[in-house]
């Protein structure tokens, strides 16, 4: 098929997107697909063809006065493709914004739709829906921090009394552990809130699961999604932060995870339930925290555009489950086209 690959984006996860896209592009091209490159610079400028590939090769960034909507060349290129594969992580790509653009353009695309993307991206909004689906979560509070004064007005003693210590503080709309801090002492809470507020005005404060095992499951499908064998991450840092994911060679990835069969079944069932609760489609990676003592499972978050780099867990877990990387990508393209065809049969006028 003629596949438009969209990567980069105005997000702190811009570099991760480029790494994922390079891997996806190579595999799709080897499988015989015709790739149309579309990149979004860190400043928001849309690039196509050789200019996009220059960005993919970590070339010089375009000037910051570029367009924030697709220009004529980009629109022309989009009109010629059969399916779009967004490889965009974080805000302005994984949160329903690009998905809405593709819906308006009437193009099939890989991954969740506008609603599922937005719900999964916003952790504060996702949590009530996950709880309503009977999924176990850690205790948490959502804070609206529009200004520095809003942070200063927070009561660390009250939050600690409510949630205990240690705590995790994270932006509600962000991925790859960007802006996340672990708080072990009350004195660290206000600085952690200031740090998280740089990335989102909605901040989540959560009870930490001490020495938690970090387990993940890949989900693939549409109406009847399937779950992979779980994987486990043993971070080289205090937790699986940005550096541990993409820079620290000390992190250990175990695929499949060394867990009992009954835990595998439980994790897979919870992953599919979370996928459906947030109206996801195509793909998602569901992350869990497991108490090392009593083995209690807590669902952490759902990622609708998981990483596709050479060390990313989503494709690795499917490989361990019997689905190769090329077959996984082809399956995602097929799901996108099938979903689009189903939607095209719906009436849009009376």
């Amino acid at each position: 098929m003629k596949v438009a690959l969209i990567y980069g984006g105005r997000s702190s996860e811009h570099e991760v997107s480029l790494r994922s896209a390079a891997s996806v592009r190579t595999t799709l091209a080897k499988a015989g697909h015709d790739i149309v490159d579309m990149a979004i610079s860190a400043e928001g400028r849309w690039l196509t063809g050789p200019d996009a590939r220059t960005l993919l090769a970590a070339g010089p960034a375009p000037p910051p006065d570029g367009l924030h909507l697709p220009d004529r060349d980009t629109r022309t290129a989009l009109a010629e493709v059969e399916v779009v594969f967004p490889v965009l992580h974080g805000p302005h790509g994984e949160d329903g914004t690009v998905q809405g653009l593709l819906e308006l353009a009437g193009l099939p695309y890989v991954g969740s739709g506008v609603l599922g993307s937005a719900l999964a991206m916003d952790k504060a909004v996702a949590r009530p829906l996950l709880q309503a689906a009977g999924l176990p979560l850690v205790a948490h509070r959502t804070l609206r921090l529009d200004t520095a004064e809003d942070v200063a007005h927070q009561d660390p003693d009250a939050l600690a009394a409510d949630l205990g210590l240690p705590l995790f503080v994270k932006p509600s709309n962000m991925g790859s552990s960007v802006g996340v801090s672990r708080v072990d002492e009350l004195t660290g809470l206000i600085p952690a809130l200031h740090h998280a507020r740089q990335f989102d005005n909605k901040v989540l404060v959560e009870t930490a699961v001490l020495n938690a095992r970090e387990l993940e499951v890949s989900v693939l499908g549409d109406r009847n999604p399937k779950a992979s064998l779980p994987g486990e991450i043993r971070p080289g840092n205090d937790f699986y932060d940005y550096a541990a994911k993409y820079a620290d060679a000390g992190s250990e990835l175990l695929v499949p995870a060394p867990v009992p069969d009954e835990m595998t079944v439980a994790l897979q069932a919870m992953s599919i339930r979370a996928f459906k609760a947030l109206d996801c489609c195509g793909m998602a990676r569901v992350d869990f925290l497991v108490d090392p003592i009593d083995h209690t499972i807590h669902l952490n978050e759902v990622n609708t555009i998981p990483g596709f780099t050479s060390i990313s867990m989503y494709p690795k877990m499917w490989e361990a489950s019997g689905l190769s990387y090329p077959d996984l990508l082809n399956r995602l393209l097929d799901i996108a086209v099938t979903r689009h065809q189903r939607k095209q049969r719906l009436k849009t006028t009376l």
Side-chain angles (χ1 to χ4, degrees), residues 4-340:
L5 197 64
I6 305 181
Y7 46 82
R10 290 192 299 130
S11 162
S12 58
E13 298 176 76
H14 179 92
E15 294 300 324
V16 183
S17 171
L18 297 183
R19 295 189 200 181
S20 290
S23 180
V24 171
R25 189 188 194 287
T26 298
T27 305
L28 288 177
K30 285 182 178 179
H33 297 290
D34 183 9
I35 308 301
V36 177
D37 289 275
M38 295 186 179
I40 304 172
S41 75
E43 298 81 15
R45 184 177 181 184
W46 287 70
L47 307 165
T48 56
D51 290 334
R53 289 191 290 277
T54 297
L55 184 64
L56 189 62
D65 58 351
L67 296 173
H68 291 273
L69 285 172
D71 58 15
R72 181 179 298 175
D73 290 341
T74 305
R75 294 195 301 270
T76 300
L78 274 173
E80 298 173 352
V81 303
E82 295 173 77
V83 61
V84 179
F85 199 136
V87 191
L88 296 161
H89 304 310
H92 310 297
E94 194 176 352
D95 57 359
T97 51
V98 166
Q99 289 75 14
L101 179 66
L102 297 174
E103 289 284 351
L104 287 172
L107 290 168
Y109 57 91
V110 170
S112 292
V114 176
L115 180 61
S117 300
L119 289 175
M121 189 70 197
D122 193 325
K123 301 176 184 65
V125 174
R127 271 154 175 66
L129 295 170
L130 295 170
Q131 285 179 315
L135 292 159
L137 306 172
V138 297
H140 59 277
R141 297 292 177 269
T142 301
L143 306 177
R144 187 68 190 232
L145 306 176
D146 293 320
T147 66
E149 288 73 22
D150 291 335
V151 176
H153 291 154
Q154 299 304 312
D155 186 344
D157 292 297
L159 283 169
D162 192 15
L163 300 173
L165 285 172
L167 295 168
F168 275 101
V169 177
K170 59 183 70 172
S172 184
N173 285 277
M174 193 56 65
S176 290
S177 300
V178 172
V180 177
S181 302
R182 173 172 165 153
V183 177
D184 293 291
E185 304 289 341
L186 279 180
T187 53
L189 185 54
I190 296 299
L193 293 176
H194 278 296
H195 179 56
R197 195 186 71 81
Q198 295 179 78
F199 301 96
D200 191 19
N201 291 331
K202 221 172 1 179
V203 173
L204 213 61
V205 182
E206 297 181 335
T207 300
V209 180
L210 294 177
N211 303 311
R213 296 180 68 183
E214 300 196 27
L215 300 175
E216 301 181 344
V217 174
S218 297
V219 181
L220 173 69
D222 185 2
R223 295 296 181 83
N224 297 294
K226 305 297 181 185
S228 72
L229 291 172
E232 180 171 6
I233 297 162
R234 294 181 181 174
N237 297 340
D238 289 339
F239 65 97
Y240 201 44
D241 60 5
Y242 188 93
K245 288 181 179 180
Y246 304 113
D248 183 6
S251 295
E252 187 179 6
L253 309 179
L254 305 177
V255 183
V259 298
D261 290 344
E262 57 269 23
M263 182 174 287
T264 292
V265 172
L267 291 169
Q268 290 173 325
M270 289 182 190
S271 298
I272 291 173
R273 204 186 319 165
F275 189 88
K276 292 180 176 179
L278 299 183
D279 197 32
C280 295
C281 181
M283 59 182 170
R285 193 193 70 238
V286 185
D287 301 346
F288 297 91
L289 302 171
V290 178
D291 190 296
I293 298 174
D294 63 12
H295 310 299
T296 302
I297 299 172
H298 306 274
L299 194 151
N300 188 27
E301 62 182 61
V302 178
N303 297 271
T304 54
I305 305 184
F308 273 93
T309 70
S310 59
I311 63 169
S312 294
M313 291 291 278
Y314 184 83
K316 281 183 173 291
M317 287 185 285
W318 276 119
E319 286 177 344
S321 304
L323 186 64
S324 70
Y325 192 98
D327 288 343
L328 171 61
L329 296 183
N330 281 323
R331 178 71 182 126
L332 287 169
L333 296 176
D334 290 341
I335 292 169
V337 172
T338 300
R339 179 185 61 174
H340 182 73

